[in-house]
């Protein structure tokens, strides 16, 4: 499910001409999920152009710094600051709905000068995992559910966020989970979002009000992981732009407000046999298969080591706390939202596993790559899961890393994930996250000044 299935470069050229596009945004998703790249006039956009940007663009922290003193990073990224060659993926071409003049946007893949994919680029990492599945005759199917907050504009980062004012002229002060009227408070915004998404072929499904004040969730129709990652990448950008148009912010921070629940990216996942189209999580008689059990076992075995990827910032771990609508452990259960891995009630062909640990702040390409990698290793090694939990898992012991530093250490040590995701990716990513953690540790918080300044 690409944005434009089976589009060739010729198809893209004809589409651009039909839309009378005058400008093209050439995008590359970086490690954080931010759109990097260049903007070109339409006449300069040609198949053989081979645009270039520095390799280091894919190895920066969210603050724009590079871990130049990290040896593994320096082995992975050339000290000469060489170029990457960008090539457009025609299936990702779409309009920029908020642009004044007819403007298109297209996602690019990154290549080295010898024609090989840049292996630590997020799209390349996901492609690598999908290739492993294909080699075994499997095709993963995913469906992301993305939570986010709408907030009032906040130009001073030292001040806490607050809920935006809706059509009634009042801001939310209480929790309105699944409230239709609370969603309708922001009708003008959501009408724009749906219009934008339709124009971009993003195939969004349902919109609901989540638990927090001003917290919403958008669901995507199930499909191919790479196509869905592209759509989540585009949606995040689209939502932020639409919110700004309506004088508010939209944020995918995992925990933007101290007293409200955090935001997750729940990912439903299953695997089908390429030849027959059968869901391999079910036996012919409809019962759960060994592959189903082993996939869960893989998630349980490797997800702690993957936390630095699916909970990528210091803020991410503020969400993973007990009794806060987020999992704290690796338990699994049937139709149980308190566990890390929930199995929804379904028919045999729709049997799937929902990973509820992933944060909304995760890069969608890397989040899908690593959760599929964990399940793949589980099936490969026949990892047996723990006993299914039928009670609340919130009262059970914490089993996930409690901070970014611990998570980075676990990621660096896990050789099996290194094998599946790529040596150079793990080295670059870990170094970048380590530097981000160092940068955070240099900041003194208001809590420290309030409680420690005169009392210790």
């Amino acid at each position: 499910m690409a944005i434009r299935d089976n589009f060739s470069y010729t198809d893209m050229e004809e589409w651009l001409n039909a839309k009378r596009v005058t400008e093209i945004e050439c995008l590359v998703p970086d490690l954080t999920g931010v759109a990097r790249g260049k903007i070109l006039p339409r006449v300069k956009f040609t198949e053989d152009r081979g645009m270039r940007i520095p390799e280091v663009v894919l190895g920066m922290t969210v603050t724009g710094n590079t871990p130049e003193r990290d040896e593994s990073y320096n082995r992975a990224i050339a000290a000469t600051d060489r170029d990457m060659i960008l090539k457009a993926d025609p299936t990702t071409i779409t309009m920029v709905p908020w642009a004044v003049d007819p403007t298109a946007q297209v996602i690019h893949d990154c290549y080295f000068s010898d024609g090989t994919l840049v292996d630590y680029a997020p799209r390349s990492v996901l492609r690598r995992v999908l290739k492993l599945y294909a080699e075994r005759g499997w095709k993963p199917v995913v469906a992301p559910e993305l939570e986010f907050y709408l907030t009032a504009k906040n130009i001073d980062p030292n001040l806490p966020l607050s809920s935006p004012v809706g059509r009634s002229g009042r801001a939310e002060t209480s929790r309105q989970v699944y409230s239709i009227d609370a969603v309708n408070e922001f009708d003008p915004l959501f009408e724009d979002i749906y219009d934008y998404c339709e124009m971009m072929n993003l195939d969004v499904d349902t919109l609901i009000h989540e638990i927090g004040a001003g917290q919403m969730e958008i669901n995507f129709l199930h499909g191919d992981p790479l196509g869905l990652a592209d759509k989540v990448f585009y949606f995040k950008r689209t939502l932020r732009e639409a919110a700004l148009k309506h004088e508010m912010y939209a944020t995918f921070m995992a925990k933007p407000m101290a007293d409200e629940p955090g935001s997750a990216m729940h990912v439903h996942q299953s695997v089908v046999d390429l030849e027959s189209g059968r869901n391999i999580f079910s036996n012919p008689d409809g019962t759960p298969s060994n592959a189903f059990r082993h996939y869960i076992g893989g998630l349980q075995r490797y997800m702690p080591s993957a936390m630095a990827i699916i909970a990528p910032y210091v803020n991410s771990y503020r969400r993973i706390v007990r009794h806060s609508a987020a999992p704290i452990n690796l338990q699994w259960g049937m139709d149980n939202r308190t566990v890390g891995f929930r199995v929804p009630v379904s028919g045999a062909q729709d049997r799937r596993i929902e990973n509820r640990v992933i944060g909304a702040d995760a890069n969608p390409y890397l989040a899908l790559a690593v959760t599929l990698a964990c399940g793949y290793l589980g099936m490969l090694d026949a990892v047996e899961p723990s006993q299914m939990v039928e009670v609340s898992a919130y009262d059970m012991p914490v089993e996930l890393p409690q901070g970014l530093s611990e998570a980075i250490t676990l990621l660096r040590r896990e050789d099996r994930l290194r094998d599946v995701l790529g040596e150079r990716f793990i080295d670059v990513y870990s170094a970048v996250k380590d530097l981000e953690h160092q940068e955070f540790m240099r900041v003194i918080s208001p809590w420290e000044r309030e409680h420690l300044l005169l009392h210790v």
Side-chain angles (χ1 to χ4, degrees):
M1 288 177 63
I3 290 165
R4 306 211 174 266
D5 288 320
N6 303 317
F7 241 45
S8 67
Y9 204 93
T10 301
D11 294 330
M12 181 171 65
E13 289 280 349
E14 293 174 355
W15 185 88
L16 290 169
N17 292 337
K19 297 288 186 181
R20 298 184 178 180
V21 167
T22 60
E23 195 171 68
I24 299 177
E25 297 181 353
C26 304
L27 310 179
V28 174
D30 74 356
L31 290 184
T32 64
V34 170
R36 309 287 178 182
K38 296 183 177 182
I39 301 175
L40 295 180
R42 167 70 180 90
V43 294
K44 299 290 187 181
F45 183 76
T46 59
E47 184 175 12
D48 58 357
R49 177 182 172 91
M51 273 191 312
R52 299 165 186 260
I53 61 173
E55 180 184 11
V56 73
V57 167
L58 292 180
M60 299 188 302
T61 66
V62 73
T63 60
N65 294 317
T66 56
E68 296 169 354
R69 298 180 182 178
D70 188 286
E71 291 183 9
S72 60
Y73 179 90
N74 290 332
R75 286 194 301 269
I77 293 186
T80 55
D81 197 16
R82 62 187 173 184
D83 274 339
M84 300 180 298
I85 300 169
L86 307 186
K87 296 183 180 179
D89 181 345
T91 67
T92 67
I93 190 74
T94 186
M95 295 298 290
V96 179
W98 55 87
V100 176
D101 296 321
T103 303
Q105 54 188 335
V106 61
I107 299 171
H108 286 60
D109 284 307
C110 304
Y111 291 83
F112 292 117
S113 58
D114 63 1
T116 59
L117 280 169
V118 175
D119 48 1
Y120 50 85
R123 271 186 126 229
S124 301
V125 176
L126 180 52
R127 287 184 189 277
R128 178 187 177 109
V129 175
L130 296 178
K131 183 181 178 183
L132 292 175
Y133 274 84
E135 287 171 351
R136 294 191 171 267
W138 299 334
K139 178 178 175 59
V141 178
V142 300
E145 300 173 348
L146 191 60
E147 297 172 345
F148 57 91
Y149 273 89
L150 300 176
T151 77
K153 272 193 171 182
N154 183 320
I155 60 173
D156 186 349
N158 291 309
L159 297 177
L161 298 172
S162 59
S163 299
V165 172
R167 291 187 307 146
S168 67
R170 301 180 66 180
E172 279 188 39
T173 56
S174 59
R175 296 179 176 179
Q176 301 292 331
V177 61
Y178 281 88
S179 169
I180 299 297
D181 292 339
V183 173
N184 288 340
E185 278 284 289
F186 305 103
D187 258 355
L189 167 63
F190 288 120
E191 285 172 6
D192 276 349
I193 291 170
Y194 275 117
D195 287 345
Y196 288 175
C197 288
E198 183 177 358
M199 188 184 301
M200 296 169 66
N201 279 7
L202 294 191
D203 290 329
V204 295
D205 191 13
T206 54
L207 170 72
I208 65 169
H209 195 296
E210 262 294 343
I211 298 174
Q215 187 184 31
M216 311 291 172
E217 177 183 286
I218 197 83
N219 298 335
F220 290 81
L221 298 173
H222 68 274
D224 168 70
L226 183 60
L228 264 300
D230 288 335
K231 289 170 183 176
V232 172
F233 169 73
Y234 272 146
F235 177 78
K236 284 187 170 186
R237 192 166 187 245
T238 301
L239 179 62
R240 291 191 192 100
E241 289 290 341
L244 286 174
K245 176 182 174 182
H246 292 269
E247 297 296 320
M248 62 184 79
Y249 288 166
T251 180
F252 297 93
M253 273 181 69
K255 185 77 169 181
M257 297 186 183
D259 299 322
E260 299 292 345
S263 292
M265 180 167 61
H266 301 150
V267 178
H268 293 250
Q269 47 212 284
S270 59
V271 181
V272 299
D273 178 79
L274 276 172
E275 186 174 341
S276 67
R278 180 181 61 84
N279 185 342
I280 70 170
F281 284 175
S282 297
N283 293 317
D285 64 359
T287 58
S289 67
N290 288 335
F292 171 75
R293 294 199 329 276
H294 296 154
Y295 195 101
I296 294 173
L299 289 173
Q300 291 183 317
R301 163 66 180 82
Y302 293 103
M303 196 52 59
S305 299
M307 280 294 286
I309 297 175
I310 64 170
Y313 304 103
V314 287
N315 176 265
S316 307
Y317 297 85
R318 301 187 188 279
R319 169 182 160 258
I320 309 294
V321 294
R322 199 183 298 275
H323 296 294
S324 63
I328 59 168
N329 51 44
L330 304 164
Q331 301 303 313
W332 74 281
M334 184 69 66
D335 200 17
N336 185 340
R337 284 185 170 83
T338 69
V339 298
F341 311 116
R342 170 179 173 257
V343 178
V345 176
S346 69
Q349 185 60 21
D350 297 325
R351 180 169 278 116
R352 61 196 185 275
I353 300 157
E354 178 190 16
N355 186 340
R356 296 178 60 82
V357 184
I358 304 170
D361 53 348
N363 179 312
Y365 300 97
L366 300 180
L368 293 182
V370 78
T371 190
L372 293 173
C374 293
Y376 172 83
L377 288 171
M379 293 189 293
L380 203 64
D381 298 341
V383 179
E384 288 294 335
S386 63
Q387 193 73 23
M388 183 176 73
V389 170
E390 299 185 35
V391 296
S392 173
Y394 290 152
D395 296 317
M396 301 178 72
V398 174
E399 298 174 313
L400 295 169
Q402 293 296 283
L404 183 59
S405 181
E406 179 187 355
I408 295 168
T409 299
L410 292 175
L411 178 62
R412 279 178 162 153
R413 288 177 180 171
E414 186 48 72
D415 290 338
R416 297 305 305 282
L417 285 181
R418 187 176 287 269
D419 291 340
V420 174
L421 300 178
E423 180 96 16
R424 193 149 50 173
F425 164 71
I426 296 295
D427 286 343
V428 170
Y429 186 86
S430 299
V432 167
K433 289 300 158 185
D434 199 22
L435 179 56
E436 281 183 358
H437 183 255
Q438 294 174 37
E439 291 175 343
F440 173 79
M441 292 303 290
R442 297 189 189 106
V443 177
I444 308 303
S445 69
W447 185 94
E448 292 165 277
R449 288 192 292 269
E450 180 178 353
H451 297 290
L452 303 181
L453 183 67
L454 301 178
H455 296 160
V456 297

